Each structure stands twice: as structure tokens, then as C-alpha cells.
Amino acid sequence: MLIAKRRARRCSLVTRLNGKEVQHTGIDDLIFDIPTLISYCSDWTPLVPGDVISTGTPEGVGFARKPPLWMKPDDVVEVEIDGGIGVLRNSIVAES
């Protein structure tokens, strides 16, 4: 399993807004470890490759910044776990 192979080193989770790093933490700072999260979620829903388990956010959340940092239409937010795990990239669009 990919996560088991990564356990020997600390993986980082980085959030970027328009290319600027706004959050950075280690996945070992999660309240529950990755195997526990996967086990819990798979108890109530089938998981398939490509699924995303959303766990919340580390410190650095936009509304708590001085001044606050809000995403706006056409912004791009990226969340990356290093070590080749991947990047989730989304463009922000206005509500309709």
C-alpha cells in the first residue's frame, strides 16, 4: 500500500492559492492516521481509486487571517501531498 511505504518519512500537505503557499503541515498532524480514516469511511461507503476523503483544514484558514483571505472567481486552489501522492487542483467559480 502506498501509504505504508510512505510511513517511514513525514509526508507534507501543502495548500496553494494562485501559486502562493497558504498552508503547510505534515499528515502526521491529522487527528486520525490515514489507515484509520480509510477504514472508517469504507465501513459506510465503497471507496474506489480517485475518491477524496476530506478531513478539514490545518491552521492558516483564510477567515482567521489578518486581513482575511477569501477565494474569489478565477482563483486556483491546489492541495498537494508530496512524495508523488498527488495534487488536487480546482478553479473557483462564482455561485449561480
Side-chain angles (χ1 to χ4, degrees):
M1 176 184 244
L2 181 62
I3 295 299
K5 291 179 184 176
R6 305 262 185 253
R7 196 172 295 182
R9 66 188 255 315
R10 185 173 193 248
C11 290
S12 294
L13 179 130
V14 177
T15 305
R16 287 182 291 276
L17 181 60
N18 300 321
K20 179 182 177 192
E21 187 175 296
V22 293
Q23 294 178 312
H24 190 136
T25 192
I27 63 170
D28 55 344
D29 288 336
L30 292 168
I31 294 170
F32 301 104
D33 63 20
I34 300 296
T36 300
L37 291 168
I38 292 170
S39 175
Y40 172 75
C41 291
S42 66
D43 280 346
W44 49 269
T45 191
L47 296 174
V48 297
D51 282 350
V52 174
I53 299 173
S54 181
T55 62
T57 185
E59 67 179 58
V61 67
F63 77 86
R65 293 174 174 263
K66 303 292 185 227
L69 177 63
W70 301 104
M71 290 183 278
K72 57 192 178 311
D74 299 322
D75 281 352
V76 175
V77 64
E78 299 173 316
V79 179
E80 178 177 12
I81 299 178
D82 67 358
I85 294 176
V87 177
L88 176 65
R89 180 177 297 110
N90 286 290
S91 297
I92 307 304
V93 297
E95 291 185 69
S96 53

